[in-house]
Amino acid sequence: MKQVQLLAPIKGQLIPLSDVQDPVFSQGMMGDGFGVEPTNGQVVAPVSGRVTMVAATLHAIGFVTASGLEVLVHLGIDTVELKDKPPFKLNINVGDDVKAGDNIGTMDLAAVKAAGKQTTVILAVTNTADKVAQLTPRLGNVTAGAVGAQVDLKTATKAAAAPVAAKGNGGKYDDLASQIIMNIGGVENVKSVIHCITRVRFYLKDESRANDDVIRDLKGVIDVAKAGGQYQVVIGPAVTDVYDAIVAQLGPGFGDDDASALASEKEANKAAWKKMTVWQKVKHSLSALIGVITGSMIPVIGLLAASGILKGVLALLTSFKLVSATTTTYVIINAMGDSVFYFLPIFVGFTAAKKLGSDPVIMGIIGGVLTYPTIVAIASTGKVTSHLLGMGINATFFGLPVHVASYSYSIFPMIAGAWLASKLEPWLKRVIPTVLRMIFVPLLEVIIISGAIILFLGPIITALSGALAAGIVKIYELSPAISGLIIGGFYQVLVIFGLHWAIIPIVANDIATTGHSYLNAIVSATMVAQGGAVLAIALKSKVANIKELAWPATISAFSGVTEPAMYGINLKYGRAFVTASIGGAVGGFLTGLMHVNMWGFAGSLIGFTSFVNPKGLDFSFWGFWIASIADIIVAFTLTYMFGFSDADVKNVKTAPKKKHLGEEAAPVE
C-alpha cells in the first residue's frame, strides 16, 4: 500500500480533526485531516503539487498532488467574514507548482483574534472517500513543515496529473461548464449564479428549459436539485473550479462571491444540523442566537463603553450639583453620551444585516424609521385611546388599532427584522426584474420589515413585557427578598430580549408618586454584578484584546451601562453571564431583604447618591453598599474561578445566523 505524508502547514499544537470547533470539518464533511492551534503565523505548503484554489478572502487554499490527493488548507474558523480586511498574505496563485514545505504566506494571528475569530488552521483531504484508506495524524507540538499525518492510499489509486484550475479559456472544467450552461437553457436563461461548498446554484428565468437528466449524466456532476427558487447542480469538492469556469463563460455581472460565501456557510450549517440530537439542536440554536446577538453588538461595543463612562461622569456632575439638568451644558454632554443608545436600532440594523446576510443599508434605514422623531413622539406622548392585552393603543394604521412602542435603546426588533429581511430579500430579487430591483427591492423591504416590527413585533414584546411586569409586582408584594432574588438573577436576561421596558413605567410611577423606588434599587444591583464579573475577566485574562475590552466595560457597568460588559464579554463567553447573574441574584436578595430604597434614576456604583434619602441619610445608603460589595464579591469570585478562562476565547465561535437586546443608562432604562 502506497503511503504519503502531509506536512503541518503551520507551527503549533496538532489536534485531531474531531476537536476542531467547526462541525463541517470536525464531522468529516470535507474529508479526513487534522487541525493545528498555531503559535506562529508562517504558512507552508503541506504537499508538493499544484495550487488549484485560492479563496478571494485568502483564507483557504487548495492543492492537488501527483498521486491525486486534493488537499484543502483552511486558515482560521469563520475568517471568510474578514473579507474587508483579510489578515492573510499569500505569495502563491492558482496554477502555481509548489514543493512541500515551501513558504506560501503568513497569517496575522493577533488580527484574527482581535476580530473575535479562532486561529485554528485546518487541513482536510477533500477526496478522502476516493483516495484515502487511512489517515493517521501525529498529535502534539509541530513545527511548520514537519510531518503532520501519514496517509495510506487506496490500492486503486493511480497517479493523476494535477488539474489546471478553470480560467474560462481552456481550463479543465471549461467543457463541463459549457455543457451545464447549454443544458440549463443557455446564457439567456440565467439570471445569476452563486455556489456553496458542494453546489453551483443558478437562478433561472425558466427552470422548465433545463434538461435535468442530461446534466445528471455529465461527468463531474453528482446530482441536480431544485429548492428555494434555485436550480442546483451538485458538484462536490471541485465546485469552486466549476463555478469559476461557468462565470467566465457567462460573462461579468452573473456571479456573486459574497452570496456564495454566505451560501457555503448556510449549507455547512444545514448539513451539521441533520446530524445533531434534539438536545444538541437546542444548544446549537441557543449558541446561534447568542452568537448573532453578540456579533451584531461587537462593532459598537467600544462606543457603548465610552458612552457609558461619559453618562456616568454626567451623573456625577449632576449629583454633586456641578451641572444642572436644565442647562444647555447638560443637554450637549447628554447628547454625546446618549446618541449611540438613542439611535442604536440604526447601528444594530446595519451590523445585524451584515451578520445575517441581508442588506445593511436597508436595515439601517429601517432603524431610522423606528427612531424617527414623530414615531418616538407617538410612543412617548401619543394619546392612549384604548387597551388591548395590556397594551395602550396609541395609533391607527389604515384604521387598524396599533400600539407604537419606543424602539430607541433596543436591538431585538432590529435583529429579528434583519433575520426576516434575509429571507425576504432573496425572494424579492428572484421575482422582481433586474431593471427594477434597485428601486423596488429596498422600497418593499422597508415597507414590509418596518410594518412587521411596528404592527406585530413591537406589540408582542409589549404584551410579554406587561405580563412580566405584572408578575414582578406580584412577587414583590409577596416578598421583597424573594423578588430581589428573582429579579436580580434574571433582569439582565430580560434586557437581552428587550422585555425589561415594562418595568420602566412601574419605576417611573413609583418615583413620581412616592419619590422613591424599591424596585429600582434591585435593578441597580444587577448592573453592579455585571461589572463585578467583567472585572474578574479583566484581571484574569492574558489575551490582549479581551483585557482591552474588559477594562472599559467594567467602568461602563459601574457607571450604569452594562451592554459592553454583557455583549462584549459576559454573554459571549457563556459561563460569565451565568456567574454574573448569580451575583445579581445575591445582590438583589440583600437589597430586598434590607428594604433598600432608591430616590433617583441613576444606578450602579456611579449612582450611589440616588440612595441618599432627601430627608436625611438612612440605612438605604449603607444597605446599597453592603449589597453592592456582596454583588461584586460573588460575581467576581465565581467568574474568576469558574466563569471564564482564556481557553474560552479560542473555543467560542461567532455562531451562524439568528436574533436580539435592550439598553440601560440607569436602572430604569
Side-chain angles (χ1 to χ4, degrees), residues 626-647:
I626 293 171
S628 295
I629 292 170
D631 234 342
I632 294 172
I633 291 173
V634 172
F636 181 95
T637 303
L638 290 178
T639 304
Y640 198 94
M641 295 179 64
F642 311 110
F644 176 85
S645 71
D646 282 339

Side-chain angles (χ1 to χ4, degrees), residues 30 53 80 82 113 190 222 228 262 315 340 353 372 380 420 422 424 435 497 608-609 657:
M30 296 298 288
M53 185 271 291
V80 65
L82 307 180
K113 292 177 182 177
V190 180
I222 298 173
L262 184 61
V340 66
Y372 196 72
S380 58
L420 181 60
S422 72
L424 175 66
V435 294
F497 295 99
F608 68 93
T609 57
K657 317 279 184 190

Side-chain angles (χ1 to χ4, degrees), residues 595-667:
H595 298 279
V596 175
N597 208 347
M598 188 172 178
W599 286 267
F601 284 91
S604 195
L605 299 186
I606 201 78
F608 68 93
T609 57
S610 296
F611 294 85
V612 176
N613 189 335
K615 296 180 180 179
L617 196 67
D618 61 17
F619 185 74
S620 286
F621 181 77
W622 306 113
F624 157 75
W625 284 111
I626 293 171
S628 295
I629 292 170
D631 234 342
I632 294 172
I633 291 173
V634 172
F636 181 95
T637 303
L638 290 178
T639 304
Y640 198 94
M641 295 179 64
F642 311 110
F644 176 85
S645 71
D646 282 339
D648 295 330
V649 180
K650 293 182 179 180
N651 294 331
V652 75
K653 195 173 108 138
T654 304
K657 317 279 184 190
K658 267 181 181 74
K659 330 189 188 267
H660 173 77
L661 153 81
E663 128 46 37
E664 79 194 284

Side-chain angles (χ1 to χ4, degrees), residues 166-179 245-246 248-249:
K167 291 186 174 66
N169 54 358
K172 175 181 177 181
Y173 299 101
D174 282 359
D175 183 59
L176 176 58
S178 298
Q179 292 294 323
I246 288 171
Q249 293 184 31

Side-chain angles (χ1 to χ4, degrees), residues 524-537:
S524 176
T526 69
M527 300 178 180
V528 177
Q530 291 292 327
V534 78
L535 174 62
I537 294 172

